[in-house]
Amino acid sequence: MTIHDTFTGAQFVTAILDMASEHGMVIEMGSDFDLYESYINSHRTHQPLGLPFDPKLHDMNEDSGFWIVGWNESGELVHTQAMRLFNLGGLALSDYLGQRFVDFPPTGLDLDLERSHYQPGPGAKRISGRACYHGELWVKGDDRYRGTGLPGLLARFALATCVLRWSPDHIFGFMPERYAFRGLAEREGYMHTDPGALAWYPKGSTTPLKGFMTYMGRDDLSHMISLCPREFMLSQAA
């Protein structure tokens, strides 16, 4: 990461923090995933902690992950998201997920893993090296945030923070097909998707929950942080 990227990225995340504050949201960050899990269990009871970030299953620390939460003026949790770093080395992400996609399930569902499957797209086949997984993204359905562009900017905040902290080769995540079709990936800042990447079958159902893989490379991330966050917010609110 260049000095210019570091300076630009710092400006980018500061601008988003200011905009979150303007909407009454205070951002907290950390790498203590036991604390994060306690926040989830106490405040986000409808959506359990995602398996990739469970500190009982993984060694989660400042070198391997971080979380972001947002609180309103009443001390209510209104936002979550998290990042986890993987060092794939020369292994393609498509090969890694071909064996380990079950480690990234949607939360709160009783799944038939035998019928569920992963279909690698061209993007996953090109991803290797230091790759970050982006998940846990949630913003409370509040009139204060609807139509403002803030939820998408908070996702970009996490992407930019990941760039500043780790300068990864790639960032990837998964998104339900129905949200991808509504343009959510673009609003979050993602410049590429692999459609049809995942099909999760709930037990007793013949209809799968389909998912896209979202991803960005180093050059994409550098371009993203060069854009003005406030202009993006205004365009979403128009």
Side-chain angles (χ1 to χ4, degrees):
M1 184 168 60
T2 67
I3 293 175
H4 177 266
D5 281 344
T6 302
F7 179 72
T8 303
Q11 287 184 310
F12 188 90
V13 298
T14 299
I16 295 176
L17 285 174
D18 289 343
M19 285 182 279
S21 179
E22 290 167 10
H23 284 79
M25 186 184 297
V26 175
I27 298 297
E28 178 186 353
M29 300 178 60
S31 291
D32 181 345
F33 278 81
D34 290 310
L35 175 60
Y36 179 66
E37 183 178 28
S38 73
Y39 287 160
I40 299 301
N41 292 341
S42 298
H43 299 274
R44 201 186 72 187
T45 55
H46 69 285
Q47 182 180 333
L49 175 66
L51 192 64
F53 301 102
D54 189 335
K56 297 185 295 297
L57 301 175
H58 311 289
D59 181 17
M60 302 299 298
N61 55 62
E62 63 182 10
D63 295 321
S64 61
F66 66 89
W67 46 260
I68 299 167
V69 300
W71 307 92
N72 66 14
E73 300 99 323
S74 302
E76 180 184 13
L77 184 71
V78 293
H79 168 59
T80 66
Q81 57 183 320
M83 287 276 187
R84 181 177 164 194
L85 179 65
F86 293 84
N87 191 348
L88 299 172
L91 182 68
L93 181 61
S94 56
D95 293 329
Y96 177 85
L97 292 175
Q99 300 295 320
R100 306 290 296 272
F101 80 94
V102 294
D103 293 345
F104 301 85
T107 60
L109 295 175
D110 189 12
L111 297 169
D112 185 340
L113 297 180
E114 291 297 322
R115 287 192 298 153
S116 301
H117 60 84
Y118 165 70
Q119 176 68 41
K125 295 175 182 178
R126 293 192 295 265
I127 292 174
S128 60
R130 288 160 53 84
C132 290
Y133 171 67
H134 183 200
E136 289 285 295
L137 185 56
W138 169 76
V139 179
K140 181 178 174 61
D142 191 309
D143 288 339
R144 179 180 295 190
Y145 312 127
R146 289 193 180 102
T148 64
L150 184 61
L153 281 174
L154 291 169
R156 292 171 185 242
F157 174 79
L159 295 170
T161 300
C162 187
V163 170
L164 292 172
R165 180 172 292 206
W166 290 321
S167 188
D169 299 303
H170 302 275
I171 296 177
F172 72 98
F174 299 110
M175 179 176 294
E177 183 181 75
R178 64 185 184 278
Y179 296 145
F181 284 157
R182 297 174 190 169
L184 182 59
E186 289 83 358
R187 293 200 297 274
E188 291 181 358
Y190 282 98
M191 296 170 62
H192 308 285
T193 63
D194 278 354
L198 289 169
W200 298 104
Y201 281 87
K203 287 184 177 178
S205 174
T206 59
T207 303
L209 302 173
K210 296 182 180 180
F212 279 42
M213 189 186 86
T214 58
Y215 67 95
M216 296 226 280
R218 191 186 296 257
D219 290 346
D220 302 315
L221 293 160
S222 180
H223 175 69
M224 184 203 70
I225 63 176
S226 73
L227 304 175
C228 175
R230 193 168 292 276
E231 288 183 3
F232 169 80
M233 192 170 194
L234 291 172
S235 67
Q236 289 293 299

